[in-house]
Amino acid sequence: MAEQTEQAEKTTVTITVDGRQVEAQPGELVIAAAERHGVYIPRFCYHPRMRSVGMCRMCVVEIDSGRGPALQPACMLPVAEGMTVDTQSAKSKKVQDGVLEFLLINHPLDCPVCDKGGECPLQDQTLAFGPGESRFVEEKRHFAKPIAISELVYLDRERCILCDRCTRFANEVAGDPLISFIDRGNHTQINTFPDEPFASYFSGNTVQICPVGALLAKPYRFRARPWDLDQVESTCTSCSVGCRIALQSSSNRLVRKLGVDVDPVNWGWLCDKGRFDFEAINSDDRLGAPLVRQGEELAQASWAEALARATEALDRAGRRPGRESIAVLGGARLGNEDAYAWSKLARTVLGTDSVDAQLGDGLPAQAVLGLPRATIDAACGADTIVLLGPDLKEELPVLYLRLRDAVVNRGAKLVELSPVETGMTRYATASLRYRPGEAAQLVRSLLELRTGDDRGNGAADPRRQAAELLRADSVVCVLGRPSLAEAPEPVCEAAAALVDALPGISFLSALRRANVHGALDMGLAPGLLPGRVSLEKGRRWFSREWGSLPSEPGLDATGILEAAANGRVACLVLLGADPLADFPDRDLARRALAGAGSVIAVDSFLTDSARQADVVLAASSFGEKSGTTTNLEGRVSRLHQKVTAPGTARADWMIAAELAFRLGGDLGLDSLEAVWDEIERLAPSHQGITRERLSSPEGFDGIVVGDVPDASDHQAPPSMAQSDSPGISGVAGHVKVDTLASTGMGSEARPDPQSGDQPAGAPEALGQAATVTGPRGMGYTEGEEPGAGAEAEAVEATVEAEHGSGGGEDVFRPSGGGGDQGTTPQRPPLLSWAGPGTTRPPPPRDRYSLRLVSSRRLYDDGTLVHHSPSLAPLAAGAHLRVHPGDLQPLGVSSGTRVGITSSRGRAVLEAVTDPGVPQGTVFVAFNQPGSAASGLIDVGQPVTEVRLETTPQDGDPGSGG
Amino acid sequence: MSRLNPGNVELARTIISRYPRPRSALIPLLHVAQEQEGWVSPEAMAHIAELVDLAPAEVLGTASFYGMFKREPVGRYVVSVCTNISCLLLGGEELLEHCERTLGIKPGATTSDGMFTLEDVECIAACTDAPCLQVNYRYFLRISHDEVDALVDDLRAGRRTDEVPPHGTLTRVRQDIRPERWVGRGAEGLPPEIR
Ligand code: SF4
Ligand code: SF4
Ligand code: FES
Ligand code: FES
């Protein structure tokens, strides 16, 4: 012990800041060390998440490193033992005066018409540290007032103080060096290359971190003044990364989302889609009241009327035999509480297990939940990252930033396995193409190479390189659906092969839909119940509280739609799902909607699918309701309401509760808090994630499911409001706009290096506590053979050992630990997954056909982008990309419209050559405006084969048919 | 206004191969572009960006830092008259005015025949021989007004081209350092992750 403390002491550096001795970390910059100890040194260019450049000189203070006091930039100088920093000396003050006087020489001081006015670091620091008056009377430099440097960002060069933050961000963080310092000296300006706009998916971050009003976001410009803004801290649900945000409104309208720095997730960054798609929530197209079908038309109705119609349809359907007479599709848009309520409603009152939060565009829930899980930090800290999933830059942008950082700055090695090149390809040590449908073959061949003795002279052969990298000590696989035009089985098979061969491997899910992981955790998938347990294993546990449960597993999305198309679904509930747009096989989706007895849509927008419904129930949306959401790591974090929903739209869980009541049931859920408490009590994986913990400082970063620390670790947490957590503070209620934090000017919410310094990839991060990675790495408890019987008990024992018996008298918390509760069911074991069953082999390739690859781009025709005026025009539109060698035989050149035909349909699209698409494949982006992809895909086939042919001149404009 | 021609692409690849990292060849390649067209066009910058794997904005950022990389078309001969202190004292201003009269243009402009661009520049490090000017960065020291007129006539008539090659030409004889005389180990000398 004594030794440890001694060692601990040696690892810090003692410095004196303004007369006070403080401990700093070796290598820490003076500016950061001082700030941690409550001394704020003014700055413009320094940003804790980027390299220091010493551009602005604002942080210059008197520092004595042993050779007498000298003026030095605190953002460039690491601490040294015995160093003395004097931020208040006359000299320090004089420098601050001087630097600000210089910075203002050319600054236009047009604060009254500047977006930044009121939250501007230049304003604030001039007031706090500046001279108050300038001796410069000369003409200031002039530039054209704001120029658009992209579709989303304006630049006012007169206001720019040349701090290099935006350019460093673009280059270092985003890897899109599209803006640069141009010219020099007094003429220096930030600008783009002519005709090459700053079209980065991350451009909005530069607006947030610009310390002046030089960079402006079009969607926010002139919308509000900072002092009119009201703000809550929440989580972005535009994809499953779950970036931490500050959500701001003015006059009950959302006007801005800002990134908040949390260490395990987004580091303060957001993607532009997440940042700007709040526009959709303000859209006039939002549903403010329920609709019911009257003949051909959907007419506005009262809730009473709409719910009566819905109840009638459900009631009628419920009396029909068959496990699929009622089916519920969707749920990834919902918060956890909503998903839980619907899961409970479906299983109990509706009596169906045919529920699926995924729309055939993900992976089997059993695999997603049952594989050993990894956090983002664990993935970034791994020696080797295997990427078998979609284009992360397009689908999970901030995860792309994190992984890019791991590769570029931390030396992680990336092995990419994908059917076409992606945004990640340039960062891969080995990037291997596989033919659609053949992912498993590729993985197996790599694993064979890996164990083979013949290491050969592999340096040049990417396959050997990849195999070599798979020998690393820590391997994390980022697993998703690389293409919607190939069945998910081969990907699962590949994952199973990896688990078999690499005992320590863990998986980071790359499913993109907002809360898909939360919805699966809440049991919105066939054969699953809340808390990552299977229907069989959880039956006893849940039926005690829930009552009787469906007797056999239901159908997944594809099964539901097939059943509906065959007239076997009497009532189809679309829970924020738009299968016509999002299901890979549009033909099947269309037949299903037509064939379903009746359709009830619960949605915030009248989507294409909702238009075909008999009843549409208006649901409130992100920003209009509180609750929790779960990101791709399984991290539960809180959502906060900021504005009121339009009209009478209401939360999904309330709709579920109401329907249950009208159907003669009772979900027993009467408040959001009650729903969470029941989840915490009943869902085996979520026990211990209490509301108290979620609103404690610990919950600020979110709490990873399965990562439950010792109970003693989280007793009586201080409430967020009193905590000294910097940045946007205050989880509950409204908090004041903290300008410095949101622009990266001040203390970001970063862990205290002295206490919370966990190395990336700490063991805690590796998946569920209960599902210890066993010999085959898949849900087998340590030491157990993969025999089926022992598994459940052993896992159970692990869980119980962690939780103890817990619970008071009145709390239903069955447990072996308490001993003699007799008939009390045992807590069911968490899900494990032993690989897919049989998979369909892709057909042999015929010489004339090409295999289709389809995945999403960031800007598509999805609901949020479509209804965000600033983002909708950014969707690239429909075209196909093909290898030049595959276009040549047609005798046409890039840019020509060609016909593309599959067994499902035909379309005419512009063909663009792209050497990143291997020969033998065609890429068509999914769900672009006018896109044909889902009109071509046949989910009945393991891969979709297509043919290209020339069209007579300009054929019909490429509708998907 | 064009990309590098095939010969220069070859040359560019050779130059790139001499550096540990492609981007290090950026400035030599800007010279190649300027030699080809007399100025550095956006197309050339975009082409160089492709060759050295940078974004065009980064190439522009570097090119625009140097006043001697011209980003607008200039005449065949760029006349740079020094008006800094030593030259000013010894008739630099008058020299500039004389050039303006002789060429019929103001500093910054190009004659209509595309032959001359006039500019005033700060000290060109020949103060001991003031007043002075450069044509395409070749020095003309202690130059008189008459000598200016003669020089302009000669250049216009196609004489003295060996003394003053067209704008953009660094040297007439391109130095070729044979590989055996190279120092360093090129990219091999770098740790693999930053190669
Ligand atoms: S635009 Fe803003 S962030 Fe970029 S250099 Fe200028 S002041 Fe800094
Ligand atoms: S990466 Fe995902 S969670 Fe983060 S800002 Fe973008 S859409 Fe939102
Ligand atoms: S020089 Fe230190 S903050 Fe800019
Ligand atoms: S002042 Fe003209 S060369 Fe120095």
Side-chain angles (χ1 to χ4, degrees):
Chain A
M1 270 322 234
E3 243 178 58
Q4 270 182 2
T5 17
E6 219 172 82
Q7 269 181 356
E9 271 166 18
K10 273 191 208 124
T11 61
T12 62
V13 175
T14 310
I15 63 170
T16 309
V17 179
D18 291 349
R20 202 153 49 91
Q21 281 209 345
V22 300
E23 296 304 314
Q25 299 296 306
E28 200 176 6
L29 295 169
V30 171
I31 196 168
E35 181 171 351
R36 252 185 340 103
H37 291 97
V39 176
Y40 182 84
I41 300 174
R43 77 284 303 261
F44 291 110
C45 67
Y46 168 74
H47 190 287
R49 292 291 185 189
M50 299 193 291
R51 197 168 40 89
S52 279
V53 283
M55 269 319 256
C56 71
R57 318 315 278 181
M58 190 65 229
C59 68
V60 168
V61 286
E62 257 191 305
I63 299 176
D64 184 351
S65 327
R67 286 176 298 177
L71 291 167
Q72 305 196 61
C75 75
M76 296 296 286
L77 198 66
V79 293
E81 190 62 38
M83 183 181 261
T84 311
V85 180
D86 190 348
T87 71
Q88 301 296 319
S89 74
K91 261 200 192 145
S92 296
K93 291 276 162 214
K94 189 155 184 217
V95 171
Q96 290 168 352
D97 265 12
V99 168
L100 278 163
E101 197 176 357
F102 268 117
L103 285 176
L104 293 175
I105 290 178
N106 275 316
H107 195 79
L109 292 173
D110 50 358
C111 312
V113 292
C114 176
D115 267 0
K116 205 81 173 187
E119 58 174 12
C120 174
L122 184 60
Q123 255 183 354
D124 295 348
Q125 297 191 133
T126 300
L127 188 67
F129 304 98
E133 230 172 272
S134 173
R135 287 164 290 173
F136 286 89
V137 292
E138 287 78 7
E139 181 77 12
K140 300 184 184 233
R141 62 186 198 151
H142 290 292
F143 284 110
K145 278 291 209 182
I147 53 170
I149 55 171
S150 76
E151 296 289 333
L152 295 170
V153 179
Y154 283 114
L155 167 66
D156 183 327
R157 290 162 292 175
E158 292 183 347
R159 293 181 189 151
C160 170
I161 59 165
L162 303 172
C163 71
D164 198 19
R165 275 183 158 201
C166 56
T167 36
R168 258 180 302 157
F169 172 85
N171 188 11
E172 282 175 25
V173 180
D176 297 326
L178 299 169
I179 45 175
S180 178
F181 284 127
I182 312 285
D183 297 330
R184 74 166 187 199
N186 192 33
H187 300 287
T188 311
Q189 53 167 312
I190 297 290
N191 215 329
T192 63
F193 194 71
D195 299 330
E196 179 136 328
F198 182 37
S200 169
Y201 286 167
F202 306 98
S203 65
N205 292 297
T206 63
V207 176
Q208 182 173 339
I209 61 175
C210 178
V212 297
L215 291 166
L216 309 160
K218 277 193 202 174
Y220 174 72
R221 188 164 171 255
F222 299 146
R223 289 292 147 79
R225 309 289 351 216
W227 49 87
D228 293 331
L229 292 177
D230 202 21
Q231 137 176 312
V232 291
E233 162 268 335
S234 191
T235 309
C236 176
T237 56
S238 299
C239 81
S240 63
V241 175
C243 297
R244 208 83 191 122
I245 55 164
L247 186 60
Q248 302 180 326
S249 69
S250 170
S251 312
N252 202 28
R253 265 176 97 78
L254 296 180
V255 291
R256 189 162 68 167
K257 265 163 134 178
L258 292 176
V260 171
D261 193 327
V262 292
D263 213 42
V265 186
N266 60 319
W267 292 3
W269 312 132
L270 299 181
C271 72
D272 286 355
K273 178 180 171 192
R275 186 179 295 273
F276 298 124
D277 68 4
F278 66 85
E279 287 184 337
I281 292 161
N282 296 334
S283 145
D284 292 340
D285 300 337
R286 283 289 307 282
L287 287 176
L291 307 173
V292 296
R293 178 157 305 280
Q294 253 142 38
E296 288 297 287
E297 299 282 293
L298 278 170
Q300 200 159 321
S302 70
W303 274 94
E305 200 182 336
L307 285 167
R309 284 276 290 267
T311 309
E312 195 188 303
L314 288 166
D315 196 35
R316 210 175 328 115
R319 278 186 251 112
R320 285 249 312 254
R323 57 177 180 163
E324 63 271 354
S325 64
I326 298 179
V328 181
L329 208 53
R333 171 180 64 71
L334 278 51
N336 290 330
E337 291 82 352
D338 301 315
Y340 179 83
W342 272 94
S343 185
K344 188 173 180 181
L345 173 75
R347 266 43 175 269
T348 58
V349 181
L350 304 181
T352 181
D353 189 57
S354 291
V355 297
D356 198 348
Q358 303 189 75
L359 290 181
D361 54 356
L363 296 173
Q366 274 75 5
V368 177
L369 301 183
L371 284 166
R373 300 277 287 265
T375 57
I376 296 175
D377 275 350
C380 293
D383 299 329
T384 298
I385 305 166
V386 178
L387 175 55
L388 176 55
D391 190 333
L392 297 183
K393 192 173 185 179
E394 304 288 345
E395 300 205 4
L396 299 164
V398 171
L399 177 61
Y400 159 84
L401 289 189
R402 290 291 312 271
L403 293 176
R404 181 188 175 275
D405 174 78
V407 171
V408 174
N409 299 323
R410 286 152 203 232
K413 297 279 183 259
L414 180 72
V415 175
E416 183 187 49
L417 314 174
S418 61
V420 294
E421 275 186 19
T422 73
M424 211 73 217
T425 301
R426 66 178 306 180
Y427 302 106
T429 304
S431 183
L432 303 173
R433 300 286 86 82
Y434 68 83
R435 263 220 304 277
E438 296 172 17
Q441 282 93 315
L442 174 61
V443 166
R444 271 194 229 101
S445 77
L446 294 179
L447 291 170
E448 263 163 41
L449 266 182
R450 169 181 172 272
T451 45
D453 301 323
D454 162 37
R455 298 204 182 186
N457 51 348
D461 176 1
R463 295 171 79 90
R464 279 184 193 285
Q465 265 179 330
E468 192 58 43
L469 291 173
L470 289 178
R471 290 178 208 248
D473 288 337
S474 60
V475 180
V476 169
C477 174
V478 180
L479 186 72
R481 185 85 175 266
S483 162
L484 298 174
E486 60 180 317
E489 287 91 353
V491 176
C492 293
E493 222 182 298
L498 284 169
V499 171
D500 258 343
L502 310 174
I505 194 170
S506 54
F507 292 81
L508 180 61
S509 167
L511 303 182
R512 78 176 249 294
R513 265 166 211 289
N515 192 28
V516 63
H517 301 90
L520 297 182
D521 278 354
M522 294 302 113
L524 281 182
L528 281 188
L529 288 170
R532 301 186 183 172
V533 295
S534 68
L535 182 62
E536 305 115 66
K537 300 235 167 90
R539 180 179 303 279
R540 283 196 69 211
W541 173 274
F542 275 94
S543 56
R544 175 166 160 155
E545 184 118 341
W546 277 18
S548 76
L549 298 175
S551 54
E552 51 177 325
L555 302 173
D556 68 359
T558 306
I560 291 170
L561 293 177
E562 272 163 1
N566 295 329
R568 300 203 318 271
V569 174
C571 184
L572 177 64
V573 181
L574 300 177
L575 206 47
D578 181 4
L580 284 179
D582 290 333
F583 188 73
D585 185 335
R586 197 199 300 167
D587 182 55
L588 175 55
R590 188 182 294 134
R591 284 186 287 120
L593 287 178
S598 59
V599 178
I600 300 172
V602 184
D603 215 315
S604 309
F605 290 91
L606 194 59
T607 61
D608 283 351
S609 306
R611 259 176 240 286
Q612 310 223 358
D614 301 289
V615 185
V616 183
L617 302 175
S620 53
S621 157
F622 169 81
E624 297 163 353
K625 55 183 183 183
S626 296
T628 58
T629 184
T630 303
N631 82 346
L632 43 73
E633 306 166 285
R635 181 183 303 278
V636 179
S637 47
R638 299 185 57 175
L639 298 169
H640 280 283
Q641 182 183 356
K642 185 69 224 64
V643 293
T644 46
T648 57
R650 51 177 84 170
D652 301 84
W653 73 266
M654 290 187 194
I655 297 175
E658 182 85 22
L659 284 172
F661 181 73
R662 284 168 182 263
L663 286 161
D666 181 4
L667 297 184
L669 304 171
D670 54 10
S671 71
L672 198 64
E673 291 72 24
V675 185
W676 185 261
D677 290 347
E678 183 168 318
I679 294 171
E680 195 269 330
R681 190 160 52 88
L682 285 184
S685 60
H686 284 54
Q687 295 194 342
I689 305 181
T690 56
R691 279 191 287 126
E692 291 69 39
R693 278 182 73 204
L694 283 169
S695 46
S696 74
E698 178 198 9
F700 183 74
D701 285 358
I703 296 173
V704 179
V705 175
D707 172 29
V708 187
D710 204 86
S712 58
D713 276 352
H714 52 84
Q715 275 172 356
S719 88
M720 193 67 191
Q722 315 153 359
S723 86
D724 59 352
S725 174
I728 310 279
S729 59
V731 170
H734 297 180
V735 289
K736 273 192 65 71
V737 180
D738 182 343
T739 305
L740 292 182
S742 58
T743 51
M745 294 304 297
S747 7
E748 306 284 330
R750 308 189 65 197
D752 179 343
Q754 276 185 324
S755 57
D757 191 23
Q758 274 181 356
E764 52 89 15
L766 298 176
Q768 306 160 0
T771 353
V772 180
T773 302
R776 288 182 55 224
M778 256 191 193
Y780 299 112
T781 311
E782 205 145 33
E784 284 299 329
E785 275 309 305
E791 173 202 339
E793 277 169 35
V795 174
E796 235 163 89
T798 323
V799 182
E800 272 149 19
E802 292 234 338
H803 294 283
S805 57
E809 249 73 303
D810 52 335
V811 182
F812 170 67
R813 198 188 279 276
S815 155
D820 46 31
Q821 286 172 20
T823 57
T824 305
Q826 297 289 300
R827 180 200 319 270
L830 300 192
L831 206 66
S832 63
W833 184 72
T838 48
T839 61
R840 297 162 290 176
R845 216 164 74 79
D846 90 53
R847 225 149 44 80
Y848 305 100
S849 70
L850 305 167
R851 282 191 189 162
L852 182 65
V853 176
S854 185
S855 62
R856 292 175 186 272
R857 318 303 305 262
L858 187 65
Y859 303 124
D860 59 9
D861 207 19
T863 307
L864 287 176
V865 172
H866 182 89
H867 292 282
S868 297
S870 305
L871 298 181
L874 301 179
H879 62 272
L880 63 86
R881 290 194 283 131
V882 61
H883 192 275
D886 281 336
L887 200 55
Q888 206 193 354
L890 296 187
V892 298
S893 56
S894 189
T896 316
R897 297 175 70 79
V898 302
I900 177 168
T901 314
S902 75
S903 59
R904 271 289 196 255
R906 179 170 189 280
V908 177
L909 294 175
E910 184 189 337
V912 177
T913 55
D914 180 352
V917 177
Q919 273 193 291
T921 46
V922 184
F923 179 88
V924 180
F926 196 76
N927 198 21
Q928 284 293 319
S931 166
S934 68
L936 294 169
I937 298 170
D938 179 355
V939 288
Q941 297 295 324
V943 294
T944 298
E945 308 254 334
V946 293
R947 282 165 193 260
L948 299 185
E949 76 254 312
T950 49
T951 46
Q953 308 153 14
D954 245 2
D956 62 307
S959 74
Chain B
M1 261 204 298
S2 58
R3 292 159 61 91
L4 298 187
N5 61 35
N8 279 335
V9 172
E10 266 315 293
L11 176 60
R13 292 197 202 285
T14 314
I15 294 173
I16 290 168
S17 74
R18 290 186 191 142
Y19 291 90
R21 274 179 275 176
R23 63 184 297 157
S24 309
L26 177 51
I27 287 181
L29 297 197
L30 287 167
H31 280 299
V32 171
Q34 180 147 284
E35 181 162 328
Q36 178 178 310
E37 300 293 322
W39 64 294
V40 185
S41 65
E43 289 78 2
M45 283 188 274
H47 193 184
I48 291 171
E50 284 166 29
L51 291 170
V52 299
D53 196 19
L54 286 175
E58 295 173 288
V59 174
L60 173 61
T62 301
S64 65
F65 186 82
Y66 299 97
M68 284 159 69
F69 287 127
K70 302 297 180 197
R71 287 181 297 120
E72 302 285 336
V74 290
R76 187 174 172 86
Y77 299 106
V78 173
V79 180
S80 318
V81 181
C82 175
T83 54
N84 211 300
I85 187 79
S86 303
C87 295
L88 184 82
L89 293 172
L90 289 164
E93 284 284 341
E94 292 77 12
L95 183 62
L96 179 63
E97 275 163 25
H98 181 75
C99 291
E100 286 177 18
R101 273 195 304 278
T102 305
L103 297 172
I105 51 175
K106 288 282 178 197
T110 300
T111 55
S112 53
D113 59 357
M115 286 299 279
F116 294 96
T117 295
L118 180 63
E119 58 183 22
D120 54 332
V121 293
E122 304 305 332
C123 179
I124 50 178
C127 313
T128 49
D129 292 307
C132 57
L133 57 75
Q134 293 175 325
V135 180
N136 292 351
Y137 315 115
R138 274 70 179 174
Y139 282 100
F140 294 87
L141 306 173
R142 298 186 196 237
I143 189 168
S144 70
H145 292 190
D146 289 347
E147 284 165 340
V148 168
D149 294 345
L151 178 61
V152 167
D153 285 346
D154 284 348
L155 292 175
R156 205 166 244 149
R159 290 186 295 269
R160 295 174 79 174
T161 50
D162 50 340
E163 202 180 329
V164 187
H167 184 252
T169 312
L170 280 185
T171 50
R172 291 201 178 269
V173 181
R174 188 171 294 280
Q175 199 179 1
D176 187 20
I177 304 167
R178 277 165 283 123
E180 61 270 25
R181 296 190 52 207
W182 291 2
V183 288
R185 286 180 295 143
E188 275 164 33
L190 289 178
E193 60 277 11
I194 60 166
R195 243 175 238 174

